[in-house]
Amino acid sequence: LAGMRQHAAAAPIQADNLLLIRGIDAAAAAHLAANGADRFADIANWTASDIAALTGETIEAGRISRQGWIEQAAMLATGALTS
């Protein structure tokens, strides 16, 4: 378009290594990424409805809270390591 400056597309945000969250295996990480949750901050901000939408065959109900994924993700999002 004449007279309009073209803006470079924003660089995609690199996904976090979700395998750093204890309890997330490769299958769960792939399932989460396929559903748009590939950053620690995404997981740290999940609501009950987010969790319900993600549970099923790959991630059984109760696993997320039982294994503390949200709490671990919140720590990792700040740059801290989980123990």
Side-chain angles (χ1 to χ4, degrees):
L1 299 161
M4 297 195 74
R5 195 168 79 187
Q6 296 293 321
H7 295 282
I13 297 174
Q14 186 171 348
D16 290 324
N17 181 1
L18 300 184
L19 299 176
L20 294 175
I21 297 175
R22 286 183 321 280
I24 293 183
D25 57 18
H31 176 73
L32 296 174
N35 285 282
D38 60 3
R39 310 252 322 133
F40 300 135
D42 296 335
I43 297 169
N45 291 307
W46 278 350
T47 64
S49 61
D50 295 327
I51 294 169
L54 289 167
T55 56
E57 289 183 29
T58 305
I59 301 171
E60 71 272 3
R63 178 177 173 187
I64 294 169
S65 61
R66 186 175 60 252
Q67 295 178 335
W69 292 8
I70 294 172
E71 296 80 5
Q72 291 181 67
M75 290 178 62
L76 290 163
T78 67
L81 297 177
T82 61
S83 55

